[in-house]
Amino acid sequence: MTPAWFIQSLLNGLSIGSVYAVFALGYTLVFSILGIINFAHGAVFTLGAYLTYALAVGSFGLNGLLAGVSLPFTLPFFPALLLGGFLAGLAGMAVERLAFRPLRRRGADALLALVSSLGVALILVNLIQYLAGAEIYAFPADVFGGLPPAVIFRVAGKPVAVRTAQIILFAVSLIMLAGLMWAISRTRAGKALRAVAENTDTAALLGINVNLFILGTFFLSGVLGGMAGTLIGTSYGISGPYFGVAYGLKGLAVIVLGGLGSIPGAVLGGLVIGLGEAFLPADMSSWKEAVPFVLLFAVLLIRPQGLLGERMEQKV
Amino acid sequence: MDVFFSSYGFLLAMVVQQALLGLSVYYPLLAGQLSLASIGFYSLGGYVAAIMGTHPALAALRESLGFWMFPLEWLCALVLSIILGLAVGLPVLRLRGIYLALATIAFAQVVNVTVLNMPIAGGAVGIFAIPQAFDSRLAYLFFFGPLLVLALAVAFRLERIGPGRVILSIREDELAAAAMGVPTTYYKVLPFVWGCALAGVTGAMSAPFLNTWNARQGTFDASVACLAYVLIGGARSPWGPVFGAALLVSLPEVLRPLRDSRMILNGVVLVLACVYLPRGIVGAFSSLSRRMRGVKEAAS
Amino acid sequence: MRRTLFAVLCLLLAVPALAEPVKSPIPIGIAVAQTSNVALFGEEQVNGAKIAEKYFNGQGGVNGTPIVLVFQDTAGDEAGAVNAFQNLINRDNVVAIVGPTLSQQAFAADPLADKAGVPVVGPSNTAKGIPQIGPFVGRISAPMTQVAPHSVSEALRINPKIKKVAVLYAQNDAFSSSETTTFQQAVKDLGLEIATLQKFQTTDTDFTTQVTAVLGEDVGLVIISGLAADSGNLVKQLRQLGYQGLIVGGNGLNSPNMFPVCGALCEGIMVAQAYSSSTVDANPVNKAFVEAFTAAYKKAPAQFSAQSFTAVQVVVEALRKAEKDSGKKITAMDLAAARAELNKALRTGSYLTPVGEISITPEGEVDQKSFYVSKVKMNSDGKTGEFVLVTQ
Amino acid sequence: MSAILSAEKITRSFGGLLALSDVSLEVGEGELVGLIGPNGAGKTTFFNVLTGLTRPDAGQVRLCGQDITGLRPDRIAALGLARTFQNIRLFGNMSLLDNVLVAGQVHARCGLMAGLVGLPSGRREERTARTRAIELLSLVGLADHALAPAGSLSYGDRRRLEIARALALGPKVLLLDEPAAGMNPAEKQGLAEFILGIKKAFGLAVLLIEHHVPLVMGICDRVAVLDFGQLLAVGRPEDIRKDRAVISAYLGGTA
């Protein structure tokens, strides 16, 4: 274990971990309000990446219904990222209207929302394939303008390399995390959010329009998911409509590891899993996919409520 | 009729096979425990059968046992599932609700990665050319059918006997059940392990059924599909997973004429089923029949 | 009540199973993945097959009788492949099936076709053991055991100073994990040292762990077996992090799908190919195929498209041959006889296809005459590129 | 009078808040003890400690002389300590009969297999259990609804079903947590008589949490008063009525 390897792994882990955190926060927000996991979050992640791609590049490839159709304009990367995130937020709202609200209104078994959100995920993913094909899409190399692809420096004689995409990933994620934390702790809406999370009925009595609020939360969750998708997509390419599935699952591990419903927990969980993956020795790389779940399993056995989750006292 | 069975024989057997997986999720749900570990056990059971069926070291044993090799494979899968089920269930069932579900998903994922890393499991290609028990895939109903009958019989029988009521009481109110002298850990682990065993044996039967076995059998999608069978079918009756599997397994086939948009509609049906059949197919049937009876009584 | 309902349902769905004649146009089944995450390959196969349908019908089909392709989606799993096959065999009454996409699916579905006496031509199944499934199962996709050494020795010719080699492969991909053993053998046979052996997953996007390990070993050659997306990312990150040496890719990297992923950094990757779109001068079929494909899809065809075209071509030519040999029109035969005649014809003679001259052995294995080693040449836009032949 | 249930110096706090502090209380054989105190005094916590749902920080609980501190709730229940809950915890989707049968399962001798296969011994046991359950339901006047789901009962009936369920355990001591809550005076009177009746019929010791002071004073042999986790006084009702500390803290003007 050389110092260079340590620093390299640390940088890699922090960068990917911060995106995990952004993505997982989308899960957490919904969970803290409805107590339900939104299985369509991974699909919104994918959708966000596709939307940003469409905005930044202007067209899709040769398969699918949109083959040959191109947008009359293209946007530079950062506006595209923001607009793509906004549109993904709208998709998040659609998920709420389609999969969650009808069930809530009918007072159905909460578990059923897992299945209906899965149904929406199925629709979204296959719709993407129907429209844009199953092809791989990658953002053009000059997506960030004239920046070099990587910066290399030396530690104790060994090279440590940081890719520009990684830095942007990390920076954007940090800004989003910081902004969200600030909004939740300081703004009126943030306080209301916490009130609804605490108790939906009380919040309704306090004059908060709960339905509207839930819709807003889904919007925010969609923005987070969609932007995380774009960030991962710019760094590694969009590997087709099933792009988000693996991340969706990993995101679940992140939020449970951190403690369900805990916002700092989601951030911590993301970083722990990102670092866990990065520090896995190279000759064990075939076990990488197991890292989040082994960590999750271990933490749950020691702390059933997750790292930062609150212990639920049974009320008698 | 011939064409029907030759075209849809596999599908029929598949429905029964998936219904078994649905039931393996249904059992722990009886005690209110949402476990998605089944698919991990299904995958492992399949590997047990696939390895026993193809490994050269066991050629002599296969030779001498003939058809009895299959029951031996089931037995081995059963024993492995029970041991592992206990090892996983005891610590994991302390968790509640969604935590439990996610811990069991984690378990299935870890199984998947582990299997990929075990040379005996054949890496990503998996194991193929697994000896067949029957000529026709439909005939595998002779494997799955009796197991389904057994699984259903146990489920219905449980509704009528003491231990079954005790299991249900945990779903209703775990704390009150404990205060009524119910050893809750035992009665949570019991249906969990039974579900694991069912999934394991189903896997062992499925390896020859599919003729090939690989790590992709144990994916997250498959886990969630099992849960969907139960919830769409109805979580309050053992028929639920059966009807749920019948609907969800045959749906993509029914939608085949739609070609590449069929999976979109599949998703739409899933959402609609959740919204309009909140108590599942069985729940909708029973309230319908209740209403019809009500109409009849009112008329007479 | 329930039982009668079931019986009625069965009767309604049942179609009388008499000795069926072969329909005209002659139906050929295409069972590839049109949904699920395998659709990435399935789509290319669909594209190639569609070109073939048009091309051969333009030539008059099977001695005047047109063909029609019947597509059935296998999705990405074994059950999907079985269902697609059942439909093609029993309902669509096809004379032969081209498919499925994955080897694992082939192991599940091919035995059914074999039992039903329907010839199967695997367009992309390369795993060991597939032709051995039965007498009706064959393939036109070569297992890459012969070609891998070529690309490695070609690399050694370019840079004779190579001593240490890094080998990386996608552990969860059936094809890549068997291909890498061939590569490793080739490396040893050439007297080179495998300095590091790294695994990754096809779903991976972040390869820094592997890349760091490679950079630490100071190797002169990196050999990658993976699929287009993951390998493209791997190459991109290798280059971005400063790897300067040669890169040899396996068959999975033989796809223009990789170009958008690693962009300009794809430049110089050497791949062993079962198909090359730049053999148009020597190969009129390939010329026609590449032209038709490029006109339809605005890009050069990749291997999966070429192979599905080839599979359809092989079936069509074998049908023609079967008519000639038996002296009867295919459409005059009953279905079972037509399938049997076709299977026999498939395994005789050779075919000049976009992948070069091939024949199918009596066992069902493909015998491909030539393989190609190409080098990636990227265009100045950094998004598109082509494979330029190094040797032939 | 020998103590059948005794709690010694029970202390329990929740995150710095002292819910119980050094509480000691004994219940004698066949005795009916009332536990009163204002809301949040720690009465239910005390019950939870006795029944094993909450672990005490310090102190000891004995049942028939046996130390049961820290045992699992189901062990404690099986040893003969039954309870009802302040906010009624029935198995709502199960029938009345099944509710009672669940508690009776403690006494089952035949295993799961015997039941599944339908062995004669299992069937015999099931029959006896049913008979006994029906008897208990008749005792609380609910036998007519035996097959209805518990969730469909009226509030008062639920209370009575919960008592029947607790009795099915065959307890030595019965802990009743505010059984009269939400009842009108006539119902309360009926309940008081009912409690005395079952106490006598089953030879039970009863510990009763109740807000309605007249009811407690009317039927209890002894009364304990809890306030802010402290035991203020224990004694016969007439003594408690006169206890200064109790009057000032709790009874106030009603004495």
Side-chain angles (χ1 to χ4, degrees), chain B residues 187-274:
Chain B
Y187 280 107
K188 282 196 287 183
V189 170
L190 195 70
F192 176 81
V193 171
W194 169 231
C196 297
L198 194 61
V201 175
T202 305
M205 290 176 172
S206 301
F209 174 62
L210 288 180
N211 191 34
T212 174
W213 205 255
N214 50 55
R216 293 183 310 121
Q217 302 304 324
T219 57
F220 172 65
D221 290 359
S223 301
V224 186
C226 298
L227 175 65
Y229 302 149
V230 180
L231 295 178
I232 297 287
R236 299 266 166 185
S237 156
W239 288 118
V242 180
F243 285 126
L247 174 73
L248 296 183
V249 172
S250 50
L251 192 62
E253 290 308 307
V254 175
L255 298 177
R256 217 167 240 290
L258 293 175
R259 298 179 183 280
D260 37 350
S261 57
R262 68 181 174 136
M263 296 314 280
I264 302 177
L265 204 67
N266 201 2
V268 172
V269 173
L270 213 55
V271 174
L272 290 181
C274 289

Side-chain angles (χ1 to χ4, degrees), chain B:
Chain B
M1 207 65 190
D2 262 6
V3 174
F4 176 78
F5 278 121
S6 50
S7 318
Y8 294 116
F10 175 78
L11 197 63
L12 277 177
M14 183 88 188
V15 165
V16 177
Q17 183 226 24
Q18 296 293 308
L20 282 166
L21 290 180
L23 276 166
S24 75
V25 174
Y26 173 81
Y27 276 106
L29 262 183
L30 282 178
Q33 309 302 308
L34 173 58
S35 155
L36 293 174
S38 290
I39 212 71
F41 288 89
Y42 168 73
S43 169
L44 284 177
Y47 272 108
V48 167
I51 292 169
M52 289 179 69
T54 57
H55 203 280
L58 295 175
L61 183 66
R62 282 194 294 275
E63 192 70 27
S64 58
L65 281 180
F67 191 84
W68 291 104
M69 191 64 193
F70 293 107
L72 182 65
E73 291 168 5
W74 306 341
L75 189 70
C76 292
L78 180 74
V79 171
L80 177 73
S81 301
I82 289 176
I83 294 172
L84 202 62
L86 282 172
V88 173
L90 282 171
V92 153
L93 288 169
R94 294 183 310 144
L95 303 171
R96 281 169 206 283
I98 207 82
Y99 281 91
L100 173 65
L102 292 167
T104 51
I105 289 176
F107 165 76
Q109 290 300 111
V110 173
V111 165
N112 234 358
V113 178
T114 308
V115 163
L116 270 177
N117 277 291
M118 291 197 328
I120 196 175
V125 190
I127 295 168
F128 55 88
I130 299 167
Q132 297 291 296
F134 308 105
D135 269 351
S136 138
R137 302 286 168 110
L138 180 65
Y140 278 88
L141 281 177
F142 290 121
F143 279 7
F144 298 129
L147 189 60
L148 181 69
V149 170
L150 176 72
L152 282 174
V154 170
F156 279 111
R157 186 79 195 134
L158 274 179
E159 291 178 358
R160 300 168 181 280
I161 62 172
R165 281 189 293 264
V166 164
I167 290 170
L168 285 178
S169 75
I170 299 175
R171 167 165 78 184
E172 295 290 321
D173 189 333
E174 182 171 343
L175 202 133
M180 292 305 125
V182 172
T184 47
T185 309
Y186 176 77
Y187 280 107
K188 282 196 287 183
V189 170
L190 195 70
F192 176 81
V193 171
W194 169 231
C196 297
L198 194 61
V201 175
T202 305
M205 290 176 172
S206 301
F209 174 62
L210 288 180
N211 191 34
T212 174
W213 205 255
N214 50 55
R216 293 183 310 121
Q217 302 304 324
T219 57
F220 172 65
D221 290 359
S223 301
V224 186
C226 298
L227 175 65
Y229 302 149
V230 180
L231 295 178
I232 297 287
R236 299 266 166 185
S237 156
W239 288 118
V242 180
F243 285 126
L247 174 73
L248 296 183
V249 172
S250 50
L251 192 62
E253 290 308 307
V254 175
L255 298 177
R256 217 167 240 290
L258 293 175
R259 298 179 183 280
D260 37 350
S261 57
R262 68 181 174 136
M263 296 314 280
I264 302 177
L265 204 67
N266 201 2
V268 172
V269 173
L270 213 55
V271 174
L272 290 181
C274 289
V275 174
Y276 291 103
L277 304 174
R279 294 193 304 124
I281 301 172
V282 175
F285 267 134
S286 62
S287 59
L288 191 71
S289 74
R290 213 173 302 136
R291 207 175 308 159
M292 302 232 300
R293 227 175 311 153
V295 170
K296 250 182 232 165
E297 272 161 25
S300 62

Side-chain angles (χ1 to χ4, degrees), chain C residues 6-244:
Chain C
F6 179 72
V8 169
L9 204 74
C10 291
L11 280 176
L12 280 176
L13 288 168
V15 180
L18 302 169
E20 292 268 344
V22 177
K23 277 180 283 188
S24 174
I26 302 168
I28 299 171
I30 309 287
V32 297
Q34 290 168 278
T35 59
S36 89
N37 52 357
V38 186
L40 176 62
F41 313 114
E43 266 178 2
E44 290 189 10
Q45 293 178 315
V46 169
N47 294 344
K50 280 185 175 158
I51 300 284
E53 182 181 31
K54 217 163 146 197
Y55 177 74
F56 289 108
N57 278 338
Q59 287 187 348
V62 180
N63 306 322
T65 320
I67 58 158
V68 62
L69 300 186
V70 184
F71 290 88
Q72 289 288 3
D73 173 24
T74 60
D77 58 350
E78 285 72 15
V82 170
N83 284 322
F85 269 53
Q86 301 274 35
N87 271 286
L88 290 171
I89 296 168
N90 300 305
R91 319 206 117 241
D92 302 325
N93 294 328
V94 298
V95 292
I97 297 173
V98 171
T101 307
L102 297 180
S103 293
Q104 290 103 317
Q105 294 179 305
F107 286 124
D110 286 0
L112 295 166
D114 187 62
K115 202 164 76 59
V118 181
V120 179
V121 180
S124 54
N125 314 137
T126 48
K128 204 177 68 184
I130 294 211
Q132 289 75 26
I133 289 172
F136 280 86
V137 179
R139 62 176 161 196
I140 56 95
S141 44
M144 294 298 289
T145 40
Q146 305 104 314
V147 71
H150 291 299
S151 53
V152 181
S153 46
E154 186 60 33
L156 206 56
R157 195 180 60 76
I158 294 173
N159 180 4
K161 277 187 264 174
I162 295 172
K163 288 279 173 293
K164 286 161 84 178
V165 178
V167 178
L168 301 98
Y169 72 98
Q171 185 203 17
N172 62 339
D173 177 54
F175 179 80
S176 305
S177 53
S178 64
E179 188 189 54
T180 191
T181 54
T182 315
F183 269 126
Q184 288 171 34
Q185 193 56 47
V187 168
K188 280 178 204 144
D189 291 348
L190 289 166
L192 303 173
E193 180 205 344
I194 299 179
T196 174
L197 177 65
Q198 296 287 324
K199 302 168 195 167
F200 56 90
Q201 311 289 319
T202 52
T203 48
D204 276 356
T205 44
D206 182 6
F207 296 94
T208 3
T209 326
Q210 289 89 346
V211 171
T212 319
V214 170
L215 292 180
E217 289 292 343
D218 190 32
V219 298
L221 173 65
V222 170
I223 300 178
I224 301 170
S225 294
L227 303 179
D230 43 334
S231 304
N233 264 313
L234 178 50
V235 169
K236 176 167 152 188
Q237 290 171 40
L238 264 172
R239 292 295 189 208
Q240 286 183 342
L241 299 186
Y243 174 71
Q244 310 267 338

Side-chain angles (χ1 to χ4, degrees), chain A residues 218-231:
Chain A
F218 270 87
F219 174 76
L220 197 56
S221 158
V223 172
L224 290 168
M227 286 178 69
T230 305
L231 289 173

